[in-house]
Amino acid sequence: PLTKEQRKSFVKLNSAGSRGFAGDDLLRALVHCDHDEALADKLLLRNRAWLDRVKPKQVTPAQLGASLQSGALALGGFSRCGWPIVELHVDRWHPNEPYATEAARESLLGFAFEHGLQRLPPGQDRLLVLADLSGWGVGHGPLISSLVGLVQAAYVERLGAAAG
Protein backbone atom coordinates (compact mmCIF):
# COMPACT_ATOMS: atom_id res chain seq x y z
CA PRO A 1 0.00 0.00 0.00
CA LEU A 2 1.12 3.51 -0.80
CA THR A 3 1.45 6.26 1.76
CA LYS A 4 -0.51 9.48 1.24
CA GLU A 5 2.65 11.21 -0.02
CA GLN A 6 3.49 8.33 -2.39
CA ARG A 7 -0.06 8.27 -3.75
CA LYS A 8 0.11 12.04 -4.33
CA SER A 9 3.39 11.66 -6.23
CA PHE A 10 2.00 8.80 -8.32
CA VAL A 11 -1.19 10.72 -9.20
CA LYS A 12 0.85 13.81 -10.15
CA LEU A 13 3.20 11.89 -12.45
CA ASN A 14 0.45 9.65 -13.81
CA SER A 15 -1.74 12.60 -14.82
CA ALA A 16 1.27 14.29 -16.44
CA GLY A 17 1.97 11.19 -18.55
CA SER A 18 5.55 11.08 -17.31
CA ARG A 19 7.77 10.14 -20.29
CA GLY A 20 4.76 8.45 -21.87
CA PHE A 21 4.40 5.97 -19.01
CA ALA A 22 1.32 5.60 -16.86
CA GLY A 23 -0.40 3.20 -14.53
CA ASP A 24 1.48 0.07 -13.52
CA ASP A 25 4.63 0.93 -15.50
CA LEU A 26 4.92 4.28 -13.76
CA LEU A 27 4.21 2.74 -10.37
CA ARG A 28 6.93 0.10 -10.94
CA ALA A 29 9.43 2.89 -11.69
CA LEU A 30 8.45 4.82 -8.57
CA VAL A 31 8.71 1.71 -6.37
CA HIS A 32 12.10 0.87 -7.92
CA CYS A 33 13.33 4.39 -7.13
CA ASP A 34 11.87 4.40 -3.62
CA HIS A 35 9.32 7.02 -4.77
CA ASP A 36 12.01 9.56 -5.62
CA GLU A 37 10.41 11.49 -8.50
CA ALA A 38 13.72 12.76 -9.91
CA LEU A 39 15.25 9.27 -9.97
CA ALA A 40 12.07 7.79 -11.43
CA ASP A 41 12.12 10.45 -14.15
CA LYS A 42 15.75 9.57 -15.03
CA LEU A 43 14.85 5.89 -15.11
CA LEU A 44 11.83 6.52 -17.33
CA LEU A 45 13.95 8.69 -19.64
CA ARG A 46 16.45 5.82 -20.08
CA ASN A 47 13.58 3.40 -20.55
CA ARG A 48 11.95 5.61 -23.19
CA ALA A 49 15.26 6.00 -25.05
CA TRP A 50 15.76 2.20 -25.07
CA LEU A 51 12.18 1.53 -26.18
CA ASP A 52 12.43 4.15 -28.95
CA ARG A 53 15.75 2.71 -30.17
CA VAL A 54 15.00 -1.03 -29.96
CA LYS A 55 11.20 -1.07 -30.41
CA PRO A 56 10.94 -4.53 -28.80
CA LYS A 57 7.19 -4.85 -29.39
CA GLN A 58 7.79 -4.52 -33.14
CA VAL A 59 10.64 -7.04 -33.40
CA THR A 60 9.71 -10.13 -35.41
CA PRO A 61 11.38 -13.55 -35.50
CA ALA A 62 12.34 -12.89 -39.13
CA GLN A 63 14.27 -9.76 -38.11
CA LEU A 64 16.20 -11.69 -35.47
CA GLY A 65 17.39 -14.36 -37.89
CA ALA A 66 20.53 -16.13 -36.69
CA SER A 67 20.45 -14.60 -33.21
CA LEU A 68 17.09 -16.25 -32.56
CA GLN A 69 18.12 -19.47 -34.29
CA SER A 70 21.17 -19.74 -32.03
CA GLY A 71 18.85 -20.85 -29.22
CA ALA A 72 20.61 -18.60 -26.71
CA LEU A 73 17.25 -17.28 -25.54
CA ALA A 74 14.05 -19.26 -25.32
CA LEU A 75 10.72 -19.13 -23.57
CA GLY A 76 10.23 -21.93 -21.09
CA GLY A 77 7.16 -22.93 -19.15
CA PHE A 78 5.97 -21.27 -15.96
CA SER A 79 7.36 -21.17 -12.43
CA ARG A 80 5.39 -22.62 -9.52
CA CYS A 81 4.02 -19.18 -8.75
CA GLY A 82 2.95 -18.60 -12.37
CA TRP A 83 5.77 -16.45 -13.74
CA PRO A 84 6.68 -17.10 -17.39
CA ILE A 85 10.24 -18.40 -17.72
CA VAL A 86 12.84 -16.85 -20.03
CA GLU A 87 15.82 -19.18 -20.53
CA LEU A 88 19.30 -17.92 -21.37
CA HIS A 89 21.91 -20.42 -22.62
CA VAL A 90 25.24 -18.62 -22.92
CA ASP A 91 26.97 -21.56 -24.58
CA ARG A 92 24.64 -21.12 -27.57
CA TRP A 93 25.57 -17.46 -28.02
CA HIS A 94 28.67 -17.26 -30.19
CA PRO A 95 30.15 -13.79 -29.63
CA ASN A 96 32.35 -13.93 -32.75
CA GLU A 97 29.47 -14.59 -35.15
CA PRO A 98 28.22 -11.72 -37.31
CA TYR A 99 24.82 -11.80 -35.58
CA ALA A 100 26.29 -11.12 -32.11
CA THR A 101 26.05 -7.32 -32.29
CA GLU A 102 24.77 -5.03 -29.56
CA ALA A 103 21.65 -4.31 -31.62
CA ALA A 104 21.00 -8.05 -32.03
CA ARG A 105 21.43 -8.66 -28.29
CA GLU A 106 19.04 -5.89 -27.36
CA SER A 107 16.46 -6.93 -29.95
CA LEU A 108 16.65 -10.58 -28.91
CA LEU A 109 16.36 -9.81 -25.20
CA GLY A 110 13.53 -7.32 -25.77
CA PHE A 111 11.73 -9.84 -27.97
CA ALA A 112 12.04 -12.55 -25.28
CA PHE A 113 10.87 -10.26 -22.48
CA GLU A 114 7.94 -8.89 -24.48
CA HIS A 115 6.78 -12.40 -25.38
CA GLY A 116 7.23 -13.49 -21.77
CA LEU A 117 5.11 -10.56 -20.59
CA GLN A 118 2.40 -11.42 -23.11
CA ARG A 119 2.15 -14.82 -21.44
CA LEU A 120 1.55 -13.39 -17.96
CA PRO A 121 -1.43 -15.01 -16.27
CA PRO A 122 -3.93 -12.76 -14.47
CA GLY A 123 -2.53 -11.44 -11.21
CA GLN A 124 1.11 -11.86 -12.24
CA ASP A 125 3.49 -9.14 -13.39
CA ARG A 126 6.96 -10.70 -13.26
CA LEU A 127 9.23 -13.05 -15.16
CA LEU A 128 11.69 -15.71 -14.05
CA VAL A 129 15.04 -15.75 -15.86
CA LEU A 130 16.98 -19.01 -15.83
CA ALA A 131 20.55 -18.50 -17.00
CA ASP A 132 22.58 -21.56 -17.94
CA LEU A 133 26.13 -20.25 -17.63
CA SER A 134 27.86 -23.46 -18.69
CA GLY A 135 30.30 -22.67 -21.46
CA TRP A 136 30.79 -19.16 -20.08
CA GLY A 137 33.64 -17.19 -21.57
CA VAL A 138 34.83 -13.60 -21.48
CA GLY A 139 33.10 -13.00 -24.82
CA HIS A 140 29.74 -13.68 -23.16
CA GLY A 141 30.14 -10.66 -20.88
CA PRO A 142 28.27 -8.27 -23.22
CA LEU A 143 25.28 -10.66 -23.37
CA ILE A 144 25.02 -10.84 -19.57
CA SER A 145 25.64 -7.09 -19.31
CA SER A 146 22.80 -6.43 -21.76
CA LEU A 147 20.51 -8.70 -19.74
CA VAL A 148 21.34 -6.96 -16.46
CA GLY A 149 20.92 -3.53 -18.06
CA LEU A 150 17.57 -4.57 -19.46
CA VAL A 151 16.11 -5.62 -16.12
CA GLN A 152 17.53 -2.54 -14.38
CA ALA A 153 16.25 0.03 -16.85
CA ALA A 154 13.82 -1.17 -19.49
CA TYR A 155 11.92 -3.87 -17.56
CA VAL A 156 12.11 -2.46 -14.06
CA GLU A 157 10.45 -4.52 -11.34
CA ARG A 158 9.57 -7.22 -13.89
CA LEU A 159 12.23 -9.70 -12.78
CA GLY A 160 10.69 -11.91 -10.14
CA ALA A 161 13.78 -14.07 -9.79
CA ALA A 162 16.90 -15.09 -11.66
CA ALA A 163 18.72 -18.36 -11.25
CA GLY A 164 21.91 -19.56 -12.81
Side-chain angles (χ1 to χ4, degrees):
L2 299 175
T3 66
K4 184 177 180 180
E5 187 66 29
Q6 291 169 340
R7 191 174 297 112
K8 183 179 176 182
S9 174
F10 171 72
V11 169
K12 176 182 135 188
L13 291 174
N14 195 43
S15 63
S18 185
R19 304 283 179 201
F21 293 94
D24 290 344
D25 290 329
L26 177 59
L27 186 56
R28 269 190 285 282
L30 283 168
V31 166
H32 184 75
C33 295
D34 200 25
H35 295 275
D36 182 318
E37 290 180 31
L39 284 176
D41 189 55
K42 287 180 185 178
L43 175 68
L44 292 170
L45 182 61
R46 279 195 327 245
N47 191 336
R48 175 57 51 209
W50 186 85
L51 289 170
D52 289 346
R53 186 178 74 251
V54 178
K55 298 177 178 51
K57 291 182 180 182
Q58 297 173 16
V59 175
T60 66
Q63 290 171 312
L64 294 171
S67 65
L68 183 61
Q69 292 169 2
S70 74
L73 272 169
L75 293 178
F78 291 86
S79 70
R80 287 184 184 171
C81 62
W83 296 334
I85 298 172
V86 175
E87 299 175 10
L88 173 66
H89 303 273
V90 298
D91 63 334
R92 297 179 188 167
W93 183 262
H94 304 288
N96 296 324
E97 292 293 324
Y99 68 76
T101 64
E102 180 180 0
R105 284 193 314 269
E106 289 185 334
S107 292
L108 184 63
L109 289 165
F111 177 81
F113 270 69
E114 287 298 328
H115 282 273
L117 293 174
Q118 288 174 8
R119 299 171 55 221
L120 284 171
Q124 298 294 338
D125 67 347
R126 296 183 185 244
L127 302 171
L128 170 66
V129 174
L130 292 177
D132 177 358
L133 301 176
S134 59
W136 166 267
V138 174
H140 295 105
L143 178 63
I144 300 300
S145 178
S146 292
L147 175 65
V148 170
L150 193 70
V151 298
Q152 289 182 332
Y155 293 97
V156 152
E157 299 296 318
R158 289 293 199 173
L159 181 64

